[in-house]
Amino acid sequence: MAFMEIHIKSNMLDMNTTVAVIYPEHAIKNKKVKVLYLLHGYTGHYMDWMRQTSIERYANMYDMCVVMPSVHNSYYTNNIYHVNYFDYVALELPKIIESMFYVSKNKEDRFVAGLSMGGYGALKIGLTYPNRYSKIASFSGAINVDRIYELNKHLPKSKQFKSAFGKLPIKGTKHDVYHLLDKAYDKDMVPRMFIACGTEDFLYPDHVDFLNYLNEKNISYTHTESPGGHEWRLWDMYIKDALKWMDD
């Protein structure tokens, strides 16, 4: 696998930014490569998955391109300052990658996944554009933004929520994963989902609530959980399993 750090100009962000890309060096000739957009968590950046997991080795098993952007603590939203992180990751970045690399433009070959804040971002992106992303993987996803805000509203980080979403709570809005799921469900366009979390994770209650909602809707999904907290040890296992699931 080839590993690259690419410096690009984003019109959606109105700034230069860096993206990490893993790309198979020996892809089958004339066969476009499947692509995964792999998202970091809160306080993270584009190198987290490379530093903390064996993503390069795992992706090599499937000749898959993996794209890892940086969005700071944006919660993958177009924030109140008109820095459009959501549009950048969901729409602009795929166009840039598809123009630079021999990757498939088909929905069936385009995936999105992430951890914690990135798990929320993956669900938000995949459910907003179910016609563009065929599979979503969320690891310890920050699914219930309103509950997480309540836990942090007296801390300095609460300002990050306000700059990202403007107005809270977000229930019933375009930022609400449940609302987006209902819209995709109504159109019979829910992408396949891989949902994973540690049983001691502080986000585990939200994980269970989301699975219960999927069950109520009779939406099929792949699920795994393991003893442990909010930690890279688990996410390294989950991404390995998710890549295999994506390749099926």
Side-chain angles (χ1 to χ4, degrees), residues 1-4 21-31 33-34 56-57 59-66 101-103:
M1 301 291 280
F3 168 68
M4 293 155 276
V21 178
I22 301 168
Y23 190 80
E25 297 173 75
H26 306 292
I28 299 172
K29 188 176 181 180
N30 298 325
K31 181 180 179 181
V33 175
K34 295 180 181 181
E56 185 173 4
R57 182 162 54 86
N60 186 50
M61 300 178 191
Y62 306 105
D63 281 338
M64 189 180 294
C65 177
V66 181
F101 297 93
Y102 198 63
V103 297

Side-chain angles (χ1 to χ4, degrees), residues 84-113:
N84 297 324
Y85 287 102
F86 177 77
D87 289 345
Y88 163 63
V89 177
L91 300 172
E92 184 183 27
L93 183 58
K95 289 182 180 179
I96 293 171
I97 295 299
E98 289 161 8
S99 70
M100 297 178 67
F101 297 93
Y102 198 63
V103 297
S104 175
K105 298 180 181 180
N106 295 330
K107 167 186 171 178
E108 293 75 18
D109 300 326
R110 189 189 292 124
F111 319 123
V112 59

Side-chain angles (χ1 to χ4, degrees), residues 158-171:
S158 65
K159 296 177 182 178
Q160 298 282 2
F161 288 84
K162 292 175 181 178
S163 66
F165 299 105
K167 190 175 182 181
L168 290 131
I170 65 164
K171 184 177 181 179

